[in-house]
Amino acid sequence: MKKILLLSLIIISNIAYGQKDKKAQDEIYQWVTSFDDYKNLSKEEVFALKKLDLSFKHIDKLPSSISVLTNLEILYLDSNQLNSLPESIGNLANLQLLDLGKNQLNSLPESIGNLANLKKLRLRENQLSNLPESIGNLTNLKELRLKENQLNNLPESIGSLINLQLLDLRRNKLNNLPESISNLKKLQYLTLSRNQLNNIPESIGNLTELQYLDLSRNQLNNIPENIIGNLIKLQDLDLSRNQLNNIPKSIGNLTELLYLDLSDNQLNNIPESIGNLTKLRKLNLYWNKLSNIPESIGNLTKLRKLDLYSNKLKSLPESIGNLKNLKEIILGANEFSNNEEEKIKNLVPKQCNVDFQIKIIPQSPL
């Protein structure tokens, strides 16, 4: 009798579950086909979808029944009006790309950590002030975009994203980074521009695969020797608009650098080791307090643009004449005499535009 009763309960439960599942299927089918791009699809076609693009659709709520679209691999929900996500989004186990950029999200459900196959997560331009610890479960993630949110910290679990290659944290409110960031050994692109960092955590020195690092527009006043010099694969380094008063000699280790921006700091000298950066194409040193440039600048024979606007320079080393590929050198708002200006013009290659004009360089918006 007990077995019969138990069997009956199981059957009833399965029927109820089936009805609930059918209701969810009906609901999501009607919702998806309410958008013009999908209005002619059959049920079978909707449930077989691998890509669903609902960008710019004025969506303010995502139905929980989204979870039945289990074949989805790509889901675009960017540029809508979402302020929350249902927990059921974590059931989209095959999802590889999820774009939620340009919404009004102020939090993410813990279930986001269930998306074990996710490779790209885009959350730019929302209102997120924190991330759930479960974000660390996304160990297949290669790209994480969080530009323009309200983040003031990152969870320690972010260090579990061991396959991450791109991390965009521009325009947040970060004043520190977790030590666990040092675990992101495959990271190639890291931008932390326009945050509130006043020091570079030593953990960044362990990110030896980095090719692009942007720390501009923070409050940095020092760069430790043992951090920057370890990043020997860097090709682009932006430290502009900080409060740096010196650059470590170890910058000379970055022999793969193509672009270096040290503008708008408090620098009064540049180390001789800068001459090791023989692949450099562009060097920005404007708006500093430099009174001299090292002789080794002449080693940068691939340099095409050198911007020294608004410093305290009275002369340049004769080695500037070695810069045979120089196309433009900007020298306005310094302290050169007329004779020195003529000397510089004669030193640089003929194709080089020498600009001594004093001008207003427009600042980009904060």
Side-chain angles (χ1 to χ4, degrees), residues 99-141:
D99 193 337
L100 291 158
K102 295 188 177 183
N103 277 283
Q104 299 166 20
L105 298 172
N106 50 44
S107 66
L108 296 176
E110 283 288 335
S111 64
I112 201 85
N114 297 341
L115 305 178
N117 289 305
L118 205 61
K119 293 180 180 177
K120 296 180 180 181
L121 178 55
R122 298 171 182 171
L123 293 158
R124 68 200 179 284
E125 297 179 50
N126 278 282
Q127 298 171 21
L128 299 171
S129 58
N130 57 64
L131 300 176
E133 282 287 337
S134 63
I135 198 101
N137 297 338
L138 306 179
T139 54
N140 285 306
L141 207 61

Side-chain angles (χ1 to χ4, degrees), residues 52-94:
L52 182 59
D53 188 345
L54 296 174
S55 308
F56 299 97
K57 300 296 184 186
H58 306 288
I59 300 169
D60 57 10
K61 186 177 182 181
L62 195 62
S64 60
S65 54
I66 191 82
S67 61
V68 302
L69 299 179
T70 53
N71 287 308
L72 277 184
E73 295 177 2
I74 298 172
L75 177 56
Y76 289 103
L77 289 164
D78 54 298
S79 305
N80 282 293
Q81 296 156 18
L82 296 169
N83 55 33
S84 65
L85 297 175
E87 282 284 341
S88 61
I89 200 164
N91 295 338
L92 301 178
N94 289 308

